[in-house]
Amino acid sequence: MKILAPSILSADFTNLSQQIRLVEIAGADWIHCDIMDGHFVPNITFGPFIVEAVNRITNLPLDVHLMIESPELYINDFIQAGADYITVHVEEVIHLNRLINQIKELGAKAGVVINPSTPVQSIKDIAEYIDLLLIMTVNPGFGGQKFIPNSIRRIHEAVELREKFRAKFLIEVDGGINNQNIRTLADAGVDVFVAGASIFKADNISAATTELKNIISSK
Ligand code: DX5
Ligand code: ZN
């Protein structure tokens, strides 16, 4: 199954519950929450307090993408707040195997994220332990950026790596996903599609959500 995960980074936070309900009714599968601390990336967003509020708004699984320093200090707070999936950047975590185990022991699904310049092969020895591999298709930090073209090659590499190691992780993409490129990404083997601006900055949020969902669901 192909999963659509709207990113609330581009949502109108004065109307967050209404916006989340719109995408939920229109076919969203997960809600993607971008956590930024102003250190790992040059932008600041929100923390567990907002994730907890989002969890009360929706029954959809929450996909929490941590773009923060020392994520191990906050894992418990985000899981308590209702995170179902937690992804941590390999560029930030030294004891990645330990952290992935901790996330799972606390009851959430665990994933790793790689920046556009981080080799796909760098996740080789964690591949069999993760539930999710998030391949950044823009440099993290901001919504509304342009998709980086060599991401397609990186997705092919991830698919091969998953087969080679008989791993089971889902492949997720994040950044610059829209109705022009999502079909190609689905064909390349992507399982989970994050979309921020192309949904929440659209004139019609519901129609944009349904359109993306229909494209990934059709053969
Ligand atoms: C960027 C975030 C993304 C962002 C994607 O650092 O990780 O999740 O919301 O936004 P769009 O789809 O607008 O590129
Ligand atoms: Zn994200």
Side-chain angles (χ1 to χ4, degrees), residues 62 75-76 78-80 82-86 99-110 131:
L62 303 187
I75 296 298
N76 196 29
F78 282 106
I79 293 175
Q80 292 298 321
D84 296 281
Y85 289 82
I86 293 200
L99 186 55
I100 292 297
N101 287 336
Q102 280 170 354
I103 295 170
K104 290 188 188 170
E105 277 161 17
L106 289 168
K109 301 275 191 192
D131 300 300

Side-chain angles (χ1 to χ4, degrees), residues 7 9-10 32 34 36 65 67 136 138-145 174-177 194-198:
S7 163
L9 182 64
S10 293
H32 184 82
D34 286 304
M36 306 184 188
H65 174 192
M67 287 159 275
M136 288 309 300
V138 298
N139 288 294
F142 303 93
Q145 301 182 82
D174 184 4
I177 311 300
V194 177
S198 65

Side-chain angles (χ1 to χ4, degrees), residues 7-177:
S7 163
I8 56 170
L9 182 64
S10 293
D12 174 0
F13 271 62
T14 64
N15 240 332
L16 191 57
S17 59
Q18 179 251 6
Q19 302 233 309
I20 289 176
R21 289 218 178 84
L22 281 181
V23 297
E24 184 165 359
I25 292 167
D29 300 291
W30 296 357
I31 298 295
H32 184 82
C33 301
D34 286 304
I35 314 300
M36 306 184 188
D37 66 351
H39 293 277
F40 181 72
V41 287
N43 194 9
I44 301 176
T45 57
F46 53 86
F49 181 77
I50 298 287
V51 172
E52 196 266 336
V54 171
N55 195 38
R56 280 186 282 124
I57 294 168
T58 181
N59 290 322
L60 295 180
L62 303 187
D63 175 30
V64 175
H65 174 192
L66 297 182
M67 287 159 275
I68 59 175
E69 288 186 353
S70 304
E72 65 280 358
L73 300 180
Y74 305 99
I75 296 298
N76 196 29
D77 292 346
F78 282 106
I79 293 175
Q80 292 298 321
D84 296 281
Y85 289 82
I86 293 200
T87 53
V88 294
H89 274 262
V90 301
E91 301 86 5
E92 175 61 25
V93 180
I94 296 171
H95 302 293
L96 191 56
N97 186 288
R98 175 185 291 150
L99 186 55
I100 292 297
N101 287 336
Q102 280 170 354
I103 295 170
K104 290 188 188 170
E105 277 161 17
L106 289 168
K109 301 275 191 192
V112 296
V113 195
I114 50 175
N115 279 335
S117 62
T118 300
V120 172
Q121 294 301 319
S122 66
I123 66 113
K124 163 172 96 66
D125 293 317
I126 198 75
E128 62 209 276
Y129 304 111
I130 55 175
D131 300 300
L132 193 59
L133 167 63
L134 171 49
I135 300 175
M136 288 309 300
T137 46
V138 298
N139 288 294
F142 303 93
Q145 301 182 82
K146 210 167 160 290
F147 179 85
I148 297 175
N150 81 349
S151 306
I152 301 285
R153 192 195 77 217
R154 290 161 57 73
I155 293 158
H156 289 306
E157 253 186 83
V159 170
E160 272 171 33
L161 189 148
R162 181 170 64 182
E163 275 169 20
K164 184 170 171 197
F165 292 95
R166 297 205 172 88
K168 301 228 155 44
F169 57 80
L170 297 173
I171 297 174
E172 180 175 28
V173 286
D174 184 4
I177 311 300

